[in-house]
Amino acid sequence: MEILGNFAVFEGGDGSGTSTQLALLKDKFAARRRKPPPFFPTAEPAEGPIGRIIRSALKNNPVLQPDTLARLFAADRGEHLYASDGIVERCKRGELVICDRYVLSSLVYQGIECGEDLPRSLNSAFPAPELLLFFDIDPQIAQERLHSRPSLEIYEHLEFQKKVRKHYHALLGEYRDAGVRVEIIDAAQSVEKAAAEVWSYVSQMPILR
Ligand code: TMP
């Protein structure tokens, strides 16, 4: 597994708070007195045309086959990584890129839906991040957080999220073995405490030392 320096990802089940934490990190960087390096927070599905189709399909409009979604997530990722001004270009020119969800989301979610072979082969050529933070939370608690949202997406139900958590735990070791720094954040603690933990790991990345 090739590791892309200056690249970190947040992973976790739905309702684990990864987007909130990335937004807090963005504020922290904006307020930082020591300015460089440039910080590029981003997320998958990404904002381009493929990501937009995925976002609609997550609301079941259109209803897509699980294999089609697996292919779309991988195509979206390929653009996100390799387009001009994409993740790879930014990391290589010395920016810190942190992405809310990445390959492991596909191995977990599409692994549950399609079996592990398809998402693995679709994602096998993509580089691994230097740091992976896994936001761990009891799916029951996460589900209570999600219920305040106006509508739920296709994966946001308890039975599926229980499988998601199990699959994440089963796959984290592979990343560790491949040389990725993997850390588990207790996502049930307060937002502030989780943010402090996130910073303790992100600030140790070589680009920030
Ligand atoms: P979000 O709720 O974090 O914005 O993510 C959107 C949903 O898409 C979430 O349920 C996880 C799912 N997802 C996959 O199934 N496979 C993937 O590769 C990615 C990036 C997200």
Side-chain angles (χ1 to χ4, degrees):
M1 217 187 283
E2 179 208 342
I3 295 184
L4 180 62
N6 303 336
F7 183 40
V9 302
F10 290 179
E11 290 282 359
D14 290 82
S16 61
T18 54
S19 315
T20 306
Q21 290 299 331
L22 194 56
L24 289 174
L25 206 50
K26 190 177 173 185
D27 294 344
K28 192 169 177 84
F29 269 87
R32 222 168 157 242
R33 258 189 250 134
R34 260 204 297 156
K35 284 291 174 202
F39 175 48
F40 184 67
T42 187
E44 294 186 356
E47 283 179 358
I50 307 169
R52 282 198 291 279
I53 298 173
I54 297 172
R55 287 272 169 217
S56 301
L58 290 172
K59 295 188 174 69
N60 252 333
N61 177 29
V63 176
L64 296 179
Q65 294 303 302
D67 288 13
T68 309
L69 260 176
R71 293 189 174 91
L72 286 173
F73 276 117
D76 181 52
R77 183 162 297 128
E79 286 300 314
H80 199 199
L81 281 163
Y82 300 114
S84 159
D85 265 346
I87 294 174
V88 170
E89 208 176 282
R90 285 175 183 275
C91 290
K92 293 210 160 144
R93 68 179 181 227
E95 295 185 27
L96 168 63
V97 178
I98 303 192
C99 190
D100 182 2
R101 297 194 177 283
Y102 185 61
V103 167
L104 191 51
S105 283
S106 281
L107 300 188
V108 167
Y109 285 72
Q110 281 61 60
I112 295 169
E113 289 283 81
C114 319
E116 70 171 287
D117 292 352
L118 182 66
R120 267 196 196 279
S121 69
L122 290 169
N123 288 279
S124 62
F126 297 146
E130 185 183 302
L131 172 69
L132 187 156
L133 298 185
F134 172 60
F135 289 70
D136 194 28
I137 188 166
D138 179 340
Q140 185 81 48
I141 299 173
Q143 205 64 26
E144 284 158 18
R145 290 184 181 171
L146 290 175
H147 275 294
S148 60
R149 295 191 186 171
S151 67
L152 294 182
E153 295 181 343
I154 55 175
Y155 302 130
E156 293 175 339
H157 56 91
L158 186 56
E159 285 318 304
F160 191 84
Q161 292 297 321
K162 284 183 184 167
K163 291 186 200 163
V164 164
R165 188 185 196 194
K166 242 176 140 175
H167 276 64
Y168 267 120
H169 278 286
L171 291 171
L172 289 176
E174 271 183 36
Y175 279 79
R176 278 202 188 98
D177 294 347
V180 176
R181 179 168 190 189
V182 175
E183 299 291 349
I184 300 181
I185 307 279
D186 171 8
Q189 66 187 329
S190 71
V191 169
E192 295 74 21
K193 281 190 181 154
E197 266 189 51
V198 168
W199 182 244
S200 75
Y201 297 124
V202 169
S203 61
Q204 285 173 31
M205 289 178 75
I207 190 174
L208 292 177
R209 273 203 249 118

